[in-house]
């Protein structure tokens, strides 16, 4: 412990360590005037005693010893494999990660929006074509902030085909193909800023013949003047948010819907009929005090079939130069249930997170600044659209008090919800049916089943398969935004703490801490046999593959030079080539090794080139020759006993 740390802890003497950390967080929030936080008393007393040091020890959080529950050990011994895949968004490193569960081991990073020096993402011509370039060939963007990642569905479970991830900074949606675990497309969403929530269809109700994911829905968090061209800067009636639908296969933007307020997170119903987004800024506020002025905000539901019919019927407009059809989903235009494209259900106050229960019946929004979760019954929302429910507020079937700062919710498939409590640094397990019965009148009931202290200030949470109809209730991961004193100190920049919890029993059991580089937000976890990856590429995956050593060599058209190369451990073909100052070289390299895991690298000194080629993969780079000399290109990826000898010369005459 540093002197500084002990001083701080000393100052908090008389308080348990957790209590101190908790009060620090609460002070932070009261400083912004979160009056909605007062009045939750359910987290006091022994059952909810998360604020005491004893509570931490009782839950196994502070003791360091790992109790083993029904899920078994987190240890994955040599010779064994993890049982589940996790797909993690990485946050402002701008990529995605593949994590083995329960080990918590990072197995892969998948770059998409930002360059990656390891594989040459952002350097090779193929990756630049996916990422998008300016007229001069440089990358359009080199930063990104990924928050939400979701996989493609067939009939309510993952089909192993795709995953999607958002870039909040520059409003882009990336797609990964899960067979190779690479990014194959990126779409820029027009007109919007603060692209936050995403969720794909879980099935397609519009065309029952197509029973697979056909759309990805995208929420806009920051309202901007539309079009955003420097006019109407102070006219609040010109500021809007859009809800966007992207085609899952083509990645084209199909349509947008103009709304009041903003979109935060996005969820879709298991019947494919509705998409939902929680709204924390129904006030259309610019400053946070304005954004928290209303006691209740909303969850906004979109009737997908009606929106697509409205577009077919020509009821859409466009914004600025964008050709994307835009329908009107504002409150005023959608008052009549018979024709409404969207409807709002109220949720207290600045809600965060919306999740569909695995039985398909409910959507759950967290209060964030209210100590509650709001349970909305899907059938009742559909009844309202059918004119069978007179008041949409009747779709709220429960609003249990669960604790301070509720953010995200996950499920075990046995009727329980698990919600992160940012301010309480806890996960609360609560029973959905009990909450509904209590709301219906049986006030003596307590839906809270268990509380678990986590370290510290959790955001996203997800249990194994919990976003599918086959939630298995085995493991649950909790993404903690602060690790504070949990790991060896490494200076001011702290890792985050992903914790793994066994949820097979009545009590949650904290099983594992996993330090992670900041800062993952959302993640999904599913059985390992739900995807089948290919371990080597096929030569035909690339139209420019160099298919045999005989096909290698240099061709020249004026100043444009093409160098076709191949690699077979421990050599390149050719091992040298000559070019001239002023040439523009396109170097194509195919790795002709077909053995699993036999990856080669290609680095070229002074020309800023480094990339990897996996078995039977082809990549190309283009660069200008601007200096004479001998330049030893070499293999960067240890591949063979003669790996160090795997090198050759690019010769540039003076
Ligand atoms: S948001 Cu990060 S903790 Cu972007 Cu999903 Cu809630
Ligand atoms: Cu090829 Cu190292
Ligand atoms: Ca608000």
């Amino acid at each position: 412990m540093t002197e500084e740390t002990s001083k701080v802890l000393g100052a908090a003497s008389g308080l348990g360590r957790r209590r101190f950390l908790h009060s620090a967080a609460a002070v932070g929030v009261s400083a912004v005037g979160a009056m909605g936080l007062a009045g939750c008393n359910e987290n006091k007393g022994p059952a909810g005693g998360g604020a005491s040091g004893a509570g931490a020890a009782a839950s196994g959080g502070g003791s360091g010893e790992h109790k083993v529950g029904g899920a078994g050990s987190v240890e994955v011994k040599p010779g064994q494999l993890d049982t589940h895949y996790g797909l993690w968004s990485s946050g402002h490193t701008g990529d995605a990660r593949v994590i083995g569960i329960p080990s918590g081991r990072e197995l892969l990073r998948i770059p998409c929006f930002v360059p990656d020096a390891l594989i040459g993402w952002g350097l090779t011509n193929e990756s630049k074509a996916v990422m998008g370039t300016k007229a001069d060939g440089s990358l359009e963007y080199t930063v990104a902030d990924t928050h939400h990642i979701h996989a493609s569905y067939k009939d309510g479970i993952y089909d192993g085909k795709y995953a999607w991830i958002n870039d909040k900074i520059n409003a882009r949606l990336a797609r990964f193909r899960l067979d190779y675990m690479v990014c194959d497309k990126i779409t820029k969403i027009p007109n919007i800023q603060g692209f936050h929530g995403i969720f794909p269809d879980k099935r397609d109700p519009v065309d029952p013949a197509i029973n697979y994911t056909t759309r990805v829905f995208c929420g806009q968090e920051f309202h901007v003047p539309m079009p955003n061209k420097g006019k109407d800067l102070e006219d609040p009636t010109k500021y809007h948010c859009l809800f966007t639908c992207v085609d899952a296969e083509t990645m084209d933007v199909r349509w947008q819907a103009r709304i009041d307020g903003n979109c935060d997170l996005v969820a879709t119903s298991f019947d494919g009929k509705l998409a939902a987004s929680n709204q924390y800024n129904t006030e259309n506020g610019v400053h946070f005090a304005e954004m928290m002025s209303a006691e209740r905000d909303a969850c906004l539901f979109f009737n997908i079939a009606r929106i697509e019919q409205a577009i077919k019927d020509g009821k859409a407009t466009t914004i600025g130069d964008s050709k994307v059809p835009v329908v009107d989903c504002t409150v005023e235009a959608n008052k009549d249930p018979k024709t409404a494209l969207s409807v709002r259900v109220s949720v207290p106050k600045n809600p965060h997170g919306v999740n569909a229960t695995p039985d398909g019946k409910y959507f759950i929004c967290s209060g964030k600044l209210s100590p509650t979760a709001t349970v909305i019954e899907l059938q009742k929302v559909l009844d309202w659209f059918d004119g069978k429910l007179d008041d949409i507020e009747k779709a709220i079937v429960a609003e249990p008090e669960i604790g301070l700062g509720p953010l995200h919710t996950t499920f075990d498939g046995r009727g329980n919800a698990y919600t992160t409590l940012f301010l309480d640094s806890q996960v609360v397990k609560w029973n959905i049916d009990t909450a509904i019965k209590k709301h219906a009148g049986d006030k003596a009931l307590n839906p809270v089943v268990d509380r678990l202290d986590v370290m510290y200030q959790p955001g996203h949470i997800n249990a194994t398969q919990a976003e599918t109809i086959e939630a298995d209730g085995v493991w649950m991961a909790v993404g903690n935004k602060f690790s504070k004193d949990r790991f060896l100190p490494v200076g001011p920049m702290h890792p985050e703490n992903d914790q793994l919890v066994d949820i097979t029993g009545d009590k949650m059991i904290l099983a594992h801490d996993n330090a992670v580089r900041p800062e993952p937000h959302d993640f999904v976890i599913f059985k390992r046999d739900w995807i089948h990856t290919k371990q080597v590429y096929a030569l035909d995956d690339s139209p420019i593959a160099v298919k045999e050593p005989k096909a290698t060599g240099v061709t020249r058209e004026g100043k444009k030079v093409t160098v076709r190369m191949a690699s077979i451990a421990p050599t390149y073909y050719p091992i040298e080539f000559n070019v001239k100052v002023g040439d523009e070289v396109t170097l194509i390299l195919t790795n002709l090794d077909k053995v699993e895991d036999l990856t080669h690298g290609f680095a070229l000194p002074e020309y800023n080139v480094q990339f990897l080629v996996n078995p039977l993969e082809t990549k190309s780079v283009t660069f200008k020759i601007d200096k004479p000399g001998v330049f030893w290109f070499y293999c960067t990826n240890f591949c063979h006993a003669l790996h160090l000898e795997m090198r050759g010369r690019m010769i540039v005459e003076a």
Side-chain angles (χ1 to χ4, degrees):
M1 190 182 298
T2 64
E3 206 183 310
E4 206 47 38
T5 319
S6 33
K7 246 192 269 164
V8 171
L9 287 178
S13 64
L15 293 176
R17 191 181 53 146
R18 286 189 53 82
R19 181 181 297 251
F20 169 66
L21 292 162
H22 174 258
S23 39
V27 167
V29 166
S30 63
V32 302
M35 344 53 167
L37 289 170
C40 173
N41 49 19
E42 218 170 318
N43 70 325
K44 298 206 182 98
S52 73
S59 65
S63 65
E65 100 194 37
H66 291 158
K67 290 181 205 155
V68 177
S73 170
V74 296
E75 193 188 355
V76 176
K77 295 209 167 100
Q80 296 180 340
L81 299 175
D82 280 299
T83 53
H84 291 75
Y85 279 107
L87 300 178
W88 252 244
S89 77
S90 293
H92 32 307
T93 61
D95 51 6
R97 307 172 192 179
V98 183
I99 310 282
I101 298 292
S103 73
R105 292 169 186 149
E106 184 179 299
L107 306 174
L108 183 71
R109 288 199 180 190
I110 317 179
C112 46
F113 299 119
V114 303
D116 179 272
L118 177 75
I119 68 167
W121 189 259
L123 177 95
T124 62
N125 295 325
E126 294 72 25
S127 59
K128 284 166 99 175
V130 173
M131 295 171 84
T133 52
K134 300 185 209 162
D136 69 356
S138 64
L139 291 174
E140 191 133 26
Y141 305 103
T142 53
V143 296
D145 181 23
T146 60
H147 283 226
H148 300 111
I149 183 163
H150 288 287
S152 59
Y153 289 81
K154 181 178 167 56
D155 302 336
I157 64 169
Y158 299 137
D159 64 2
K161 210 170 167 192
Y162 298 128
W164 291 272
I165 196 164
N166 73 306
D167 167 22
K168 183 167 173 175
I169 301 175
N170 292 311
R172 291 174 293 169
L173 179 72
R175 183 174 75 187
F176 303 121
R177 35 185 300 188
L178 290 180
D179 55 352
Y180 289 145
M181 293 213 169
V182 294
C183 174
D184 75 334
K185 276 200 184 266
I186 292 177
T187 292
K188 170 87 178 165
I189 301 181
N191 303 319
I192 75 164
Q193 254 175 49
F195 165 28
H196 196 205
I198 63 164
F199 220 105
D201 267 331
K202 292 165 180 149
R203 64 183 81 221
D204 189 332
V206 179
D207 182 356
I210 311 171
N211 213 348
Y212 52 79
T213 299
T214 55
R215 306 170 189 79
V216 185
F217 299 102
C218 309
Q220 175 183 359
E221 190 185 336
F222 306 156
H223 56 331
V224 284
M226 292 192 180
N228 192 12
K229 298 269 188 191
K231 297 231 171 79
D232 308 315
L233 302 178
E234 302 304 332
D235 180 356
T237 66
K238 295 278 163 45
Y239 276 66
H240 295 289
C241 280
L242 299 173
F243 184 75
T244 299
C245 173
V246 176
D247 188 288
E249 283 298 329
T250 64
M251 289 289 283
D252 293 337
V253 178
R254 280 199 199 171
W255 49 261
Q256 298 186 300
R258 192 157 62 84
I259 62 161
D260 293 314
N262 69 343
C263 291
D264 189 18
L265 284 291
V266 172
T268 56
S269 63
F270 279 97
D271 63 8
K273 293 181 180 165
L274 298 178
S277 181
N278 67 294
Q279 304 191 280
Y280 68 76
N281 189 18
T282 53
E283 301 92 336
N284 290 317
V286 173
H287 188 259
F288 72 80
E290 295 162 2
M291 295 183 204
M292 40 196 270
S293 58
E295 274 314 307
R296 292 183 80 94
D297 287 293
C299 182
L300 179 59
F301 288 91
F302 298 91
N303 187 319
I304 303 308
R306 282 194 191 168
I307 289 175
E308 300 204 333
Q309 190 58 48
I311 289 162
K312 270 192 204 145
D313 295 346
K315 292 191 185 136
T317 54
T318 55
I319 296 171
D321 315 328
S322 161
K323 296 209 166 55
V324 175
V326 180
V327 291
D328 188 351
C329 280
T330 55
V331 175
E332 209 37 55
N334 291 279
K335 291 225 150 120
D336 178 3
K338 292 267 187 233
T339 56
L341 309 181
S342 62
V343 67
R344 265 182 179 175
V345 179
S346 82
V347 179
K349 160 157 191 160
N350 288 32
H352 191 77
V354 54
N355 292 88
T357 58
D359 62 9
K361 288 190 194 160
Y362 307 108
F363 283 88
I364 295 178
C365 288
S366 299
K368 190 166 80 186
L369 301 188
S370 158
T372 53
T374 301
V375 183
I376 301 166
E377 189 176 334
L378 169 70
Q379 187 54 51
K380 294 210 154 101
V381 178
L382 294 172
D383 285 350
W384 182 86
F385 279 116
D386 289 342
K388 291 191 239 156
L389 186 77
D390 58 326
D391 179 2
I392 188 64
E393 293 297 295
K394 289 184 184 161
I396 299 170
V397 293
E399 205 155 80
E401 273 204 11
I402 51 172
L404 297 186
L407 292 186
H408 293 284
T409 299
T410 192
F411 309 99
D412 61 10
R414 297 186 291 270
N416 299 302
Y418 301 74
T419 303
T420 50
L421 301 174
F422 183 80
L423 296 174
D424 278 338
S425 280
Q426 286 185 335
V427 174
V428 55
K429 172 181 179 181
W430 54 282
N431 186 274
I432 300 166
D433 275 344
T434 311
I436 292 170
K437 287 193 186 117
K438 180 171 181 150
H439 192 80
D442 198 343
K443 297 293 172 209
L445 291 172
N446 179 9
V448 173
V449 180
D450 190 25
R451 289 175 191 278
L452 176 75
D453 295 321
V454 292
M455 292 78 200
Y456 301 93
Q457 270 87 40
H460 272 284
I461 184 168
N462 226 319
T464 38
Q465 316 201 134
E467 298 286 354
T468 75
I469 55 174
E470 290 190 12
D472 64 8
V474 180
W475 294 107
M476 178 175 78
V478 184
N480 294 285
K481 297 293 183 191
F482 293 73
S483 65
K484 296 182 179 173
D485 51 5
R486 196 70 179 167
F487 302 111
L488 275 179
V490 288
M493 181 70 204
H494 288 55
E496 290 196 10
N497 186 10
D498 279 355
Q499 292 185 303
L500 198 70
V501 179
D502 181 332
I503 55 166
T504 54
D506 288 340
K507 293 235 149 241
M508 294 175 275
I509 300 174
L510 185 57
H512 188 48
D513 276 334
N514 191 39
V516 289
R517 190 174 185 214
E519 66 158 36
H521 284 245
D522 203 4
F523 40 83
V524 292
I525 310 168
F526 50 90
K527 279 188 203 153
R528 67 181 182 207
D529 47 333
W530 279 12
I531 45 179
H532 297 280
T533 65
K534 297 176 184 168
Q535 301 307 98
V536 298
Y537 281 87
L539 269 187
D540 289 337
D541 287 339
S542 169
I544 55 169
V546 181
K547 294 192 174 173
E548 50 182 343
K550 272 192 291 183
T552 63
V554 179
T555 51
R556 172 182 289 278
E557 271 175 60
K559 295 221 167 284
K560 286 197 192 276
V561 177
T562 305
V563 180
R564 286 187 183 76
M565 294 186 79
S567 58
I568 301 175
T571 192
Y572 295 105
Y573 298 87
I575 57 159
E576 56 188 52
F577 59 88
N578 292 65
V579 288
K580 295 181 196 137
V581 172
D583 286 348
E584 183 191 90
V585 173
T586 295
L587 188 147
I588 304 166
L589 172 58
T590 299
N591 180 3
L592 291 178
D593 278 309
K594 358 176 163 11
V595 182
E596 178 173 349
D597 202 15
L598 216 172
T599 296
H600 297 288
F602 181 92
L604 183 61
E606 307 305 326
Y607 280 91
N608 201 37
V609 171
Q610 199 297 122
F611 61 94
L612 294 186
V613 274
N614 291 299
L616 299 184
E617 187 178 26
T618 300
K619 284 181 181 164
S620 68
V621 287
T622 299
F623 51 96
K624 280 237 156 62
I625 302 297
D626 56 5
K627 41 195 160 299
V630 167
F631 302 93
W632 283 98
F633 54 84
Y634 73 97
C635 177
T636 43
N637 203 71
F638 217 111
C639 55
H640 189 275
L642 292 173
H643 157 72
L644 289 167
E645 288 80 354
M646 186 167 174
R647 55 189 167 105
R649 291 183 304 161
M650 179 172 87
I651 298 162
V652 187
E653 258 175 69

